[in-house]
Structures are given as C-alpha cells and as structure tokens.
C-alpha cells in the first residue's frame, strides 16, 4: 500500500461507487421493465431461500434469515402485495406469503429479458471472463464485509 496515495485510493473508491450505483442503476432501468429491480431481487430471494414458488414463506422466517426487523419485512411484502406479486395469508404458523400468478408471470417475463441481455453480454465479454469477474466481485464483497464487521 505504500505505493498508493490517499488520492488514488479515493479515486478507486469513487470509480467502484460509480460502477456499483450509477452505471449499474442505468443498466437496470433499461433491463427491468416487468418488475422493479428491488421487487425482482426480493422475489428471487424468496424463491431461493424459502422455496416460495413451491409453497409459502412465513414472514418471521424471512425476517430471521435476512436479519431484518419484522417491520421492514412487512413493509417490503406489503409493497409486493400492492403490486400484485404476492398473496399475504395467515394460518396457525403465522403470516405467510405465496407468489401470485401475476408475480410468477412477471418473474418469467423478466427472467427472459435478463437471460437475453446476459446472452448478448457474455457473447461479447466471454463466459469464462464473466464467471471470473463474478467470483472476484464475490471475493471483494466478502473482504468488504469482513472489514466492516471488524470496524464495528
């Protein structure tokens, strides 16, 4: 690190931020037309972590798995329900959600758009390079998470 100035570090951080939030957001606006990026990611998370496309996901389990307050989970789920993407129900186990037919349809259309975009991107960028870049980004996020945890 002796060869890298504070100015260079700040510049590298600024470039990373621009890529993460500005450029990425512009790309997402162009790709995500069926559902919002946040709704899509939330529904993907619910499918993956809670198998919601096959059954139901209890809000308490979502809150616990995401280490998120129930109030925040409830607000997010309410937005999904207002958009018609999930159905919110109750049983003996508590409040749960299922992905609605509208939600499944929107996800399917959006997944096709993502697949089309990625097909074109990987055709130019290269599959192996793309996978290597994803792995490097995962490693970067682990490093950043560890640093943030140590600072708390």
């Amino acid at each position: 690190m002796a060869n890298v100035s504070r100015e260079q570090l700040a510049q590298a951080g600024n470039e990373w931020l621009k890529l993460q939030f500005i450029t990425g957001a512009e790309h997402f606006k162009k790709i995500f037309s069926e559902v919002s990026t946040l709704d899509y990611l939330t529904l993907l998370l619910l499918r993956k972590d809670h198998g919601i496309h096959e059954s139901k996901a209890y809000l308490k389990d979502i809150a616990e798995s995401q280490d998120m307050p129930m109030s925040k989970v409830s607000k997010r789920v309410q937005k999904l329900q207002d958009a018609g993407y999930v159905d919110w129900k109750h049983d003996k186990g508590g409040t749960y959600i299922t992905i609605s037919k509208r939600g499944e349809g929107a996800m399917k259309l959006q997944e096709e758009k993502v697949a089309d975009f990625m097909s074109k991107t990987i055709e130019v960028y290269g599959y192996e390079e793309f996978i290597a870049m994803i792995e490097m980004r995962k490693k970067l996020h682990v490093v950043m998470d560890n640093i943030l945890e140590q600072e708390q």
Side-chain angles (χ1 to χ4, degrees), residues 9-25:
L9 290 170
Q11 187 175 21
N14 291 339
E15 285 300 315
W16 175 78
L17 286 169
K18 286 192 289 188
L19 286 171
Q20 285 287 112
F21 298 104
I22 298 170
T23 307

Side-chain angles (χ1 to χ4, degrees), residues 123-146:
E123 187 176 314
V124 174
Y125 192 80
Y127 180 75
E128 289 78 18
E129 288 91 349
F130 184 78
I131 297 301
M133 183 268 308
I134 294 294
E135 292 304 316
M136 286 190 302
R137 287 191 69 157
K138 286 180 184 177
K139 184 178 177 180
L140 174 63
H141 285 270
V142 167
V143 168
M144 290 177 160
D145 286 344
N146 288 340

Side-chain angles (χ1 to χ4, degrees), residues 16-134:
W16 175 78
L17 286 169
K18 286 192 289 188
L19 286 171
Q20 285 287 112
F21 298 104
I22 298 170
T23 307
E26 289 302 315
H27 292 162
F28 292 139
K29 283 180 191 174
K30 293 175 183 173
I31 299 167
F32 286 86
S33 59
E34 299 304 321
V35 297
S36 74
T37 306
L38 182 57
D39 288 349
Y40 183 74
L41 291 172
T42 302
L43 291 168
L44 281 178
L45 178 73
L46 292 170
R47 278 178 161 178
K48 178 182 173 273
D49 289 357
H50 300 283
I52 193 172
H53 63 289
E54 297 168 2
S55 60
K56 54 191 173 186
Y58 286 94
L59 268 61
K60 63 183 178 190
D61 294 336
I62 296 168
E64 185 178 300
S65 72
Q66 297 304 304
D67 194 26
M68 194 181 296
M70 183 62 80
S71 61
K72 191 171 182 179
V73 171
S74 294
K75 284 179 186 176
R76 188 73 210 121
V77 169
Q78 184 64 54
K79 287 180 181 179
L80 291 172
Q81 182 184 27
D82 291 347
Y85 299 140
V86 299
D87 295 315
W88 192 321
K89 302 175 184 175
H90 308 276
D91 67 9
K92 294 177 191 175
T95 304
Y96 66 91
I97 58 172
T98 58
I99 296 180
S100 67
K101 287 185 181 190
R102 180 170 191 252
E104 285 292 346
M107 288 294 293
K108 186 174 176 71
L109 288 171
Q110 190 58 62
E111 285 172 342
E112 286 299 317
K113 288 184 177 194
V114 170
D116 287 345
F117 178 75
M118 291 313 304
S119 173
K120 293 171 188 171
T121 300
I122 288 173
E123 187 176 314
V124 174
Y125 192 80
Y127 180 75
E128 289 78 18
E129 288 91 349
F130 184 78
I131 297 301
M133 183 268 308
I134 294 294

